[in-house]
Amino acid sequence: MKRKQQLDITNHEIWKDRNIKPEAKEIYAYLYSEGFDKTISNINIGRVQKEVKSIKNIAFRKNLQQLEEYKYIKFREYDTGLYEYTIC
C-alpha cells in the first residue's frame, strides 16, 4: 500500500533565511501548497491576491525573482499575470 505524502513546511529552511522578505515567504508557502507533489504548476495573480490581499503583479513578480535568486523556485511569466513555476 502506497503511503500519501504529507504537506509540512513548518521546518523548512526558508523560515530562517533572512535574505527572503516576509511577504515572499508567505507567497512561497502558498506556491508550495499549490504545487505540492507536482513537477510544474501554474498560478495566476488573481488566485494569489485572494490570499495576499495587497499584492499587485509587479510586486508578485519581484518576490518570485527573489525566491528564484535564492533557489527556492524557478518560474516564468508566460502571459501578464500568468506564471509557470517549479519548486526547487
Side-chain angles (χ1 to χ4, degrees), residues 10-52:
T10 55
N11 293 320
H12 196 282
E13 64 191 54
I14 196 167
W15 304 121
K16 295 177 184 167
D17 191 337
R18 293 181 182 199
N19 297 309
I20 306 297
K21 296 184 286 185
E23 184 178 67
K25 291 177 183 182
E26 185 178 357
I27 290 169
Y28 179 79
Y30 180 74
L31 294 177
Y32 192 93
S33 67
E34 288 288 314
F36 181 66
D37 209 20
K38 297 178 188 172
T39 304
I40 296 175
S41 298
N42 293 291
I43 194 82
N44 67 54
I45 187 64
R47 285 193 0 226
V48 176
Q49 285 173 330
K50 290 178 183 177
E51 299 298 319
V52 184

Side-chain angles (χ1 to χ4, degrees), residues 29-76:
Y30 180 74
L31 294 177
Y32 192 93
S33 67
E34 288 288 314
F36 181 66
D37 209 20
K38 297 178 188 172
T39 304
I40 296 175
S41 298
N42 293 291
I43 194 82
N44 67 54
I45 187 64
R47 285 193 0 226
V48 176
Q49 285 173 330
K50 290 178 183 177
E51 299 298 319
V52 184
K53 304 280 188 219
S54 63
I55 196 155
K56 302 290 184 214
N57 192 42
I58 293 171
F60 182 63
R61 188 179 318 115
K62 286 182 181 183
N63 283 306
L64 293 178
Q65 289 168 343
Q66 183 182 43
L67 290 167
E68 186 173 58
E69 179 183 342
Y70 289 97
K71 307 209 181 327
Y72 288 103
I73 66 167
K74 290 184 180 180
F75 82 98
R76 74 178 185 97

